[in-house]
Amino acid sequence: MAKLQLKLEKQLLTLKNQEIIASGDSNFDSCIFTFDESWSGFVKTAVFYQDKINVQYMVLENDDTCMIPAAAMARAGRMYIGVFGIKDTAVVTSTLITVDIKEGAISGDTVSTEPTDDVFLAIIAQYQRIAEMMRKYEETAAQFNDTMKEQNRILETLNAFDVIELNKRLDDIEDRIISYTDLAQELIDREVIIRDVSIQFVEGVCDIENEVITQDSLCDIYFDEYSYEFAANALIMVSSYDGYIRVTSSVNIAEKLNANILVRRY
């Protein structure tokens, strides 16, 4: 009974011993593999053949051993041995070594060349797992590509496919928004509305005190509907001073009026 000792260093496969193997052996000769750390985590399958149209596979046991398939040494000649490993979507293969099969008492015509069902099932299961992982990867990649196409379509619609140019445009827009915001805040700070001001003329004059008013302020007065009926019959003038507004009327209006005053400060 031959026990071939094979060593894997990365992808280099070497035979450590010489054994006599005769053609026609079945479930008798075996291989013992040793692997370096680069093969850790891989499910390993040994490959045996005398010609490439009749390749035999054996999934290694937990102790990295397997029987040599009878179909791979059915006749005298050169037998090739290799191994490959599968981990997730990664596949690693070894180099090949050769073993000379001596002429035995049984010819290859009396030995089945079909690999066993359990070997087929093990290999099919491994490749189905790889195919499923690749399918999921392709679906994810397709979704990513669709998303990128949609984003590019939007960018092209904006005439901004160039990312640098788009960023520059966005920066310009942001600067303008900040400028508008600053201007709006400046206008808010400049303009003050004094609401519901009670105006009572005494000899055609009414002073309204307010600390926000300065001598340089411009003031507009807006009467409510009731007060407008009286104010429309007179010439109303508004003058600003530090700390107060003076409202004058060309005629003396006895009624108490109500108004809002817009103050623009400079």
Side-chain angles (χ1 to χ4, degrees), residues 22 42 45 58 81 92 100 113 137 146 177 181 205 220 264:
F42 283 84
T45 301
M58 292 295 291
I81 303 175
V92 61
D100 289 330
T113 59
Y137 168 80
D146 289 343
I177 290 173
T181 302
V205 177
D220 294 318
R264 295 186 182 91

Side-chain angles (χ1 to χ4, degrees), residues 16-28:
K16 308 303 292 182
N17 66 329
Q18 294 291 336
E19 294 274 5
I20 299 297
I21 300 178
S23 63
D25 286 357
S26 179
N27 292 322
F28 185 69

Side-chain angles (χ1 to χ4, degrees), residues 3 50 173 213:
K3 287 188 177 181
Q50 287 182 304
I173 291 172
I213 301 168

